[in-house]
Amino acid sequence: MEERASNAADSMENLPCRTDNATSGSKLSIVEEKEEDDCQGLWKLPVESSVRRRECGRCGRPQKVCLCPFLPVHSLEVSTCLYIIQHPAEESRVLRTVPLLAACLPEEKCKVLIGRRFSEDRYPELASVCRNPNTLILYPGAGAANLEDVELNFPNPCIIIIIDGTWSQAKDIFFKNSLFRIPKQVQLRTSLSSQYVIRTQPTNACLSTLECAANALAIMEKNNDIKETILRPLQALCSFQLQHGAQIHHSKEHLLKNGLYDKPMPKNKRKLRRMELLVNNVKI
């Protein structure tokens, strides 16, 4: 009997605990309901949809910073045709120069192909262009002739292929596509310096795609006004960016020679050797 009484007492002691749990649970549900009621007002607030800035259909820049006033009123009349081989990563760059170049030239004189690999099967037109004896590819190297010294006695209009991308991307495209080693390889004189000062170049002589095209067309067409006309929107772009907080980017070569390079030196021997060459083979 005593055992039964103690068991009953124990069960009675447990009852308040269950009541407390039920009470705390109801309190939690009340709090949650209150929070949901408070959030109801937030759901009704108007949500601003993210609207992409309108871009100019000609220069590709946002309309508020349109560069069309610096472009030629009419497309330049040139006989030379450009094929721009563009790395896919360049499409997303805000300050790319190819749209400005294309805006200066007739559509049929500036063709842009985007990709990394270009086989003869997938790009028969490009393969035909590369096999054309009037085609040149603008890519610097030991085997490249200076474009200024090339005989320009072509019976038909010349075609120039230019690779658009960072220097490592351009190198990858050039050496991993056999089509691009068919045309005669040419380069521009190294005395030229870039005006594209809002982007870091490996050396002082490295030029942007637009600058390469401007200089090449001026040589091929024997008209220096073409160069000045194509460079004008690039100069305006750099000027605008510098006025709104951008900094002048010196080349890696300049930074190394003047002891201003503040990044860790590469551990890879090949990359380190390349950087040593930038400072005239002096060990760094």
Side-chain angles (χ1 to χ4, degrees):
M1 290 291 290
E2 290 178 359
E3 287 180 3
R4 289 178 184 175
S6 64
N7 290 339
D10 290 341
S11 62
M12 291 295 289
E13 288 177 0
N14 292 333
L15 283 175
C17 295
R18 286 195 293 269
T19 306
D20 289 345
N21 290 339
T23 304
S24 61
S26 62
K27 286 181 180 178
L28 284 174
S29 62
I30 292 170
V31 171
E32 289 174 356
E33 287 176 6
K34 185 177 180 182
E35 287 178 352
E36 287 181 5
D37 292 339
D38 292 341
C39 291
Q40 289 299 325
L42 294 177
W43 309 140
K44 295 177 182 178
L45 290 175
V47 178
E48 293 184 6
S49 57
S50 57
V51 180
R52 185 181 175 87
R53 289 188 297 175
R54 292 184 180 180
E55 294 182 350
C56 172
R58 188 181 181 199
C59 69
R61 298 278 296 159
Q63 288 184 350
K64 289 186 177 180
V65 288
C66 175
L67 293 174
C68 286
F70 303 95
L71 295 173
V73 178
H74 303 290
S75 299
L76 296 173
E77 293 184 9
V78 295
S79 60
T80 306
C81 180
L82 300 180
Y83 270 78
I84 308 298
I85 307 301
Q86 188 177 78
H87 190 278
E90 285 296 310
E91 278 190 288
S92 59
R93 289 190 182 275
V94 177
L95 302 176
R96 58 195 187 277
T97 63
V98 168
L100 298 178
L101 171 63
C104 293
L105 301 171
E107 188 176 348
E108 68 275 9
K109 294 297 183 181
C110 184
K111 301 181 180 181
V112 182
L113 298 178
I114 301 169
R116 293 185 182 90
R117 300 293 176 261
F118 298 87
S119 65
E120 191 165 352
D121 294 337
R122 292 185 62 188
Y123 296 90
E125 180 187 345
L126 179 62
S128 176
V129 166
C130 290
R131 298 184 188 284
N132 188 328
N134 297 328
T135 298
L136 304 172
I137 185 163
L138 189 62
Y139 187 84
N146 287 336
L147 182 60
E148 296 88 340
D149 302 330
V150 173
E151 294 289 335
L152 302 178
N153 297 322
F154 294 114
N156 297 309
C158 181
I159 301 170
I160 299 180
I161 298 173
I162 303 175
I163 302 175
D164 179 45
T166 64
W167 284 96
S168 59
Q169 290 167 351
K171 181 180 179 181
D172 178 75
I173 289 174
F174 180 75
F175 285 103
K176 291 186 179 178
N177 290 282
S178 57
L179 282 178
F180 298 143
R181 293 192 295 282
I182 297 174
K184 182 177 180 63
Q185 186 180 347
V186 295
Q187 62 186 3
L188 299 169
R189 291 192 192 280
T190 55
S191 59
L192 298 167
S193 58
S194 178
Q195 298 182 40
Y196 194 23
V197 295
I198 55 175
R199 190 167 172 181
T200 304
Q201 305 288 1
T203 71
N204 296 332
C206 291
L207 304 177
S208 66
T209 302
L210 179 142
E211 291 172 304
C212 288
N215 283 281
L217 287 173
I219 294 167
M220 300 303 293
E221 303 292 322
K222 299 180 181 180
N223 183 353
N224 207 52
D225 290 342
I226 291 175
K227 173 183 171 181
E228 294 178 5
T229 301
I230 294 178
L231 290 180
R232 196 174 296 128
L234 177 66
Q235 293 163 350
L237 170 64
C238 293
S239 176
F240 178 84
Q241 294 299 128
L242 292 173
Q243 289 172 14
H244 290 79
Q247 300 293 318
I248 291 178
H249 289 223
H250 295 289
S251 69
K252 189 182 291 185
E253 175 189 15
H254 174 89
L255 297 175
L256 287 168
K257 286 182 176 179
N258 291 277
L260 301 173
Y261 191 76
D262 58 358
K263 294 182 180 180
M265 299 304 294
K267 295 181 180 179
N268 182 287
K269 290 183 178 179
R270 187 176 298 175
K271 290 183 178 179
L272 188 60
R273 175 62 178 165
R274 203 178 303 141
M275 294 182 77
E276 289 175 357
L277 292 174
L278 290 178
V279 286
N280 299 322
N281 294 323
V282 176
K283 271 201 169 185
I284 49 178

